[in-house]
Amino acid sequence: MALIVQKFGGTSVADTQKILAAARKAIRERRAGNQVVMVVSAMGKQTDHLIELAKELSERPNNREMDMLLSTGEQVTIALMAIALESLGYKAVSFTGAQIGIRTDATYSKARIRSISTDRMKRALDEGKIVIAAGFQGIDDDFNITTLGRGGSDTTAVALAAALQADRCDIYTDVDGVYTTDPRIVPEARRVDRISYDEMLELASMGAGVMHSRSIEFAKKFGVLVHVRSSFSDGDGTLIGPLPEREHAPVCGVALAKDETRLTVVGVPDKPGVAMQIFSKLADARIATDMIAQNSSADGKTDVSLTLQSDDAYKAREVVSQLVDEIGAESFEFDENVAKISVVGLGMANQTGVAQQMFHALFECGINIHMIATSDIKISALVSRDDAVKALRATHASFKLDQELTPEEINARSAVATSPASLDKCASARLISHLTGMEDVVVESIDLDAAQARVTLYALPDSPGLAAKVFDRVAEGHIIVDMIVQSVGRDNLANITFTIPRDELDSVMKVAQELCDTFHCSAEYDSRAAKLTVRGAGLRSHTGLAYRMFRTLGEGNVNVSVISLSERCAAVIVDEAHGETGRDNLAKEFSEETF
Ligand code: ADP
Ligand code: ASP
Ligand code: MG
């Protein structure tokens, strides 16, 4: 007898007929002899509706009361689902988050799961009942109701699957799987049969709304196989597991985050540790940042730019307006009319020309890139929100993501086993007992690459095609460019920084010099750069982690010049002489999180 967790999103339970249809899916598994735990969302757009009601009364409603309010949406669905199942002749019982002991921290609207007690669910399952759990909600130590963040029912489902050591977690939704990009925006998008945890984690955290990114953290950490499939048909969907669909494909998907905001703190004193205070304060307020760039200027000041989700902009404004005086910065700016396009793929880590291809695609449709940030398997470009959809389409087309797999690729793929979970069940149980909180961050490795070089081009004229021109030239030498950061500073001049293997420095500097002649800019390099990388899951959304990384390096007097932050990988460039100290200090700092 298998244990299956089935999750139904809002559209899949939007009315009583759909609730009955979902109930029948559970019954089918039950009749096949399996135990079933259903996790359900609020009906249709109920969560949006509740938010609107609160906004009618207050522009900034109280966080605790918002969670109290929003949790009611799921509570309606669980009761109706139980009634539906009983009407069809099956025993069922509904539970709120509190009733199944989903303990969270006390961060309203973004709470993280600490523990789940499985006793009550197991008792009900043993009594032959179908268990129906409310998604998206939990309870803190003071019995306050908390919610996990929009889309959080996915996380409830995968967390329950992990805690119950379920055989499978089926996510039923209004699309029949994970596509190469949002099929509602790009109809040519192709459904993928399978996608790796790492790729899905990056895509989800960069805006692919089909899965809540924290659910993939759980899935990866506890080896849960996730099957995304349609509520409205019976075909196969997409398996999210340890293996990618195409091992060497540079790009497996493109994500769009429409509601991004860029924050620039202008005229920050260029002293070690000052920029870090900005992250520390934002991290304390649980604001996850992305696309971090610093533009040094001649007068000993730097501009620090970063992006955050527009939902957090109000809070960020409060934090930053206090901070500007404290750190002696000149001013700050928010640009709320931006969107982020990200390409993701395991294969890009060791291929050349991927970034350049993306920049080209954007250039060809005349789109200006405001910022660039990369991590090992992700490249993000910030564009004006009005250009977002055009940029998404162009990028998707450029990587030919609509193309079906060739017969050879299908053969190669089926030769690989479909379901070896990355952790076996014993390992997963050990991990659960070791962690103080189920959502605690897990660090996989801390690495030092001491043979890097950094190149920076200063004061480039910011216009469409700039990045494409620069990386076209660099790519001609088939050089693997690693971290790329571009941001636009004062007077509309852009800086582009990138890292390369040190033995390529001479040839890259020749190219850089030619670029300087063309663009009347200047180039600078550091031949003694080293890269420190922390790998794991949830590194960006656990906002405190990046800050601890910077603080640890700062305390050891290790100065950081380039930062790249993603869910799975936080990397910084430091001076080669400090590489080993930095690595050792980080290993000490994260010893508790490393398994
Ligand atoms: P649910 O209510 O079932 O949780 P969501 O609306 O949260 O459903 O997620 C499904 C939606 O995600 C789809 O309707 C689709 O528009 C969107 N989406 C975004 N990116 C992707 C992608 N890469 N693949 C599939 N769907 C995507
Ligand atoms: N009902 C919540 C939301 O709309 C949670 C979810 O559906 O996953 O965000
Ligand atoms: Mg969802």
Side-chain angles (χ1 to χ4, degrees):
M1 182 169 51
L3 172 55
I4 316 284
V5 174
Q6 296 183 326
K7 180 254 171 180
F8 294 88
T11 22
S12 311
V13 290
D15 55 39
T16 47
Q17 288 311 307
K18 292 198 170 112
I19 288 178
L20 277 170
R24 289 197 186 92
K25 295 230 188 257
I27 289 171
R28 196 150 37 159
E29 290 293 355
R30 190 75 199 87
R31 289 175 68 165
N34 297 321
Q35 293 185 320
V36 184
V37 174
M38 300 176 86
V39 174
V40 292
S41 291
M43 293 169 71
K45 301 248 173 261
Q46 180 63 6
T47 310
D48 294 331
H49 175 60
L50 293 170
I51 293 173
E52 276 161 26
L53 284 180
K55 291 261 157 88
E56 280 177 24
L57 297 169
S58 160
E59 204 186 313
R60 301 278 300 157
N62 177 293
N63 288 338
R64 178 185 183 278
E65 303 311 331
M66 277 311 282
D67 280 13
M68 182 70 96
L69 175 68
L70 298 192
S71 68
T72 62
E74 273 66 15
Q75 202 170 325
V76 170
T77 323
I78 52 172
L80 290 176
M81 188 64 79
I83 293 169
L85 282 161
E86 289 192 344
S87 77
L88 295 169
Y90 283 79
K91 289 193 286 184
V93 56
S94 65
F95 292 126
T96 62
Q99 286 173 326
I100 43 172
I102 300 193
R103 291 273 176 186
T104 70
D105 64 18
T107 319
Y108 297 118
S109 84
K110 283 187 189 174
R112 284 197 174 263
I113 297 176
R114 289 209 172 123
S115 62
I116 298 176
S117 44
T118 52
D119 299 356
R120 194 155 178 194
M121 282 185 288
K122 281 188 175 149
R123 258 196 336 263
L125 290 169
D126 289 342
E127 288 163 11
K129 292 179 180 153
I130 293 176
V131 167
I132 306 147
F136 172 61
Q137 55 176 263
I139 191 165
D140 75 4
D141 286 345
D142 287 330
F143 301 97
N144 295 303
I145 293 179
T146 52
T147 65
L148 310 182
R150 296 304 307 270
S153 296
D154 296 331
T155 295
T156 307
V158 182
L160 287 185
L164 290 162
Q165 303 190 358
D167 296 85
R168 219 174 59 223
C169 182
D170 287 346
I171 303 287
Y172 286 98
T173 183
D174 59 0
V175 271
D176 61 356
V178 177
Y179 280 67
T180 47
T181 193
D182 189 338
R184 291 188 201 288
I185 307 179
V186 182
E188 312 82 82
R190 179 180 67 84
R191 181 170 62 78
V192 299
D193 286 343
R194 121 172 28 137
I195 186 164
S196 67
Y197 293 129
D198 284 340
E199 290 164 323
M200 193 66 233
L201 187 56
E202 293 290 16
L203 281 172
S205 86
M206 290 297 111
V210 61
M211 290 298 294
H212 195 229
S213 77
R214 281 163 48 194
S215 68
I216 310 300
E217 266 180 58
F218 268 104
K220 181 179 176 193
K221 195 150 75 181
F222 299 109
V224 178
L225 281 178
V226 178
H227 193 180
V228 182
R229 54 205 308 191
S230 167
S231 289
F232 311 123
S233 63
D234 278 333
D236 282 340
T238 300
L239 195 65
I240 307 173
L243 301 171
E245 189 184 48
R246 286 193 266 202
E247 211 179 330
H248 302 294
V251 174
C252 73
V254 194
L256 164 64
K258 273 200 304 289
D259 295 318
E260 291 288 292
T261 290
R262 177 175 55 166
L263 159 65
T264 304
V265 185
V266 182
V268 180
D270 195 5
K271 286 189 291 201
V274 177
M276 295 315 149
Q277 284 187 43
I278 302 174
F279 299 107
S280 128
K281 288 282 165 35
L282 291 170
D284 287 348
R286 296 284 175 119
I287 299 171
T289 51
D290 192 29
M291 301 189 78
I292 304 159
Q294 298 189 36
N295 265 352
S296 307
S297 62
D299 54 1
K301 302 238 167 161
T302 93
D303 297 344
V304 178
S305 295
L306 48 87
T307 59
L308 41 96
Q309 282 190 354
S310 295
D311 281 353
D312 286 328
Y314 188 92
K315 234 190 313 169
R317 204 178 274 276
E318 283 177 354
V319 171
V320 175
S321 41
Q322 280 186 7
L323 193 70
V324 165
D325 286 339
E326 261 173 56
I327 60 174
E330 286 164 19
S331 59
F332 64 90
E333 290 163 14
F334 277 88
D335 181 354
E336 302 218 28
N337 191 30
V338 289
K340 181 174 64 187
I341 310 282
S342 308
V343 297
V344 171
L346 283 181
M348 76 170 68
N350 35 32
Q351 286 181 42
T352 61
V354 185
Q356 168 228 8
Q357 188 172 337
M358 176 183 189
F359 304 150
H360 238 285
L362 298 178
F363 170 48
E364 275 164 13
C365 45
I367 293 172
N368 198 21
I369 304 175
H370 297 315
M371 279 177 91
I372 296 169
T374 67
S375 83
D376 56 347
I377 65 162
K378 178 202 84 183
I379 303 161
S380 300
L382 197 72
V383 300
S384 149
R385 205 170 284 170
D386 308 329
D387 288 333
V389 169
K390 194 160 73 160
L392 182 67
R393 291 213 172 105
T395 310
H396 190 268
S398 162
F399 288 100
K400 301 192 170 54
L401 294 179
D402 56 332
Q403 284 186 1
E404 296 295 333
L405 268 59
T406 61
E408 294 77 43
E409 282 170 333
I410 291 173
N411 274 343
R413 195 197 47 175
S414 49
V416 202
T418 20
S419 61
S422 63
L423 287 171
D424 63 32
K425 288 193 173 175
C426 301
S428 145
R430 269 202 311 278
L431 190 55
I432 292 178
S433 64
H434 195 97
L435 293 170
T436 46
M438 283 186 87
E439 267 194 87
D440 284 357
V441 78
V442 171
V443 170
E444 286 164 16
S445 63
I446 297 172
D447 301 308
L448 168 68
D449 174 353
Q452 294 257 315
R454 173 186 61 78
V455 176
T456 302
L457 300 174
Y458 288 103
L460 290 142
D462 175 37
S463 62
L466 172 67
K469 281 178 204 135
V470 170
F471 291 103
D472 264 357
R473 292 298 325 276
V474 178
E476 278 167 20
H478 297 286
I479 293 160
I480 296 203
V481 178
D482 188 6
M483 294 158 81
I484 303 177
V485 177
Q486 181 212 298
S487 78
V488 179
R490 281 173 244 194
D491 306 322
N492 262 353
L493 294 173
N495 288 0
I496 296 184
T497 297
F498 53 95
T499 62
I500 47 167
R502 192 172 299 159
D503 48 14
E504 307 279 9
L505 183 61
D506 287 345
S507 51
V508 171
M509 280 313 290
K510 271 195 208 108
V511 174
Q513 218 39 68
E514 287 166 29
L515 286 164
C516 289
D517 296 342
T518 319
F519 289 118
H520 309 292
C521 65
S522 58
E524 185 230 35
Y525 67 87
D526 174 5
S527 61
R528 299 167 44 83
K531 178 172 150 185
L532 285 167
T533 309
V534 177
R535 277 177 222 284
L539 303 186
R540 192 179 71 94
S541 53
H542 282 86
T543 51
L545 188 125
Y547 171 62
R548 272 170 65 200
M549 181 174 177
F550 303 143
R551 193 201 56 212
T552 305
L553 294 171
E555 283 169 359
N557 282 329
V558 180
N559 208 15
V560 167
S561 63
V562 187
I563 298 166
S564 135
L565 194 53
S566 80
E567 285 306 310
R568 315 162 28 267
C569 174
V572 292
I573 292 293
V574 302
D575 189 284
E576 179 198 25
H578 296 137
E580 282 179 17
T581 319
R583 183 192 50 202
D584 296 347
N585 291 354
L586 289 176
K588 236 179 273 153
E589 173 69 21
F590 295 121
S591 61
E592 295 266 299
E593 287 87 353
T594 311
F595 292 91

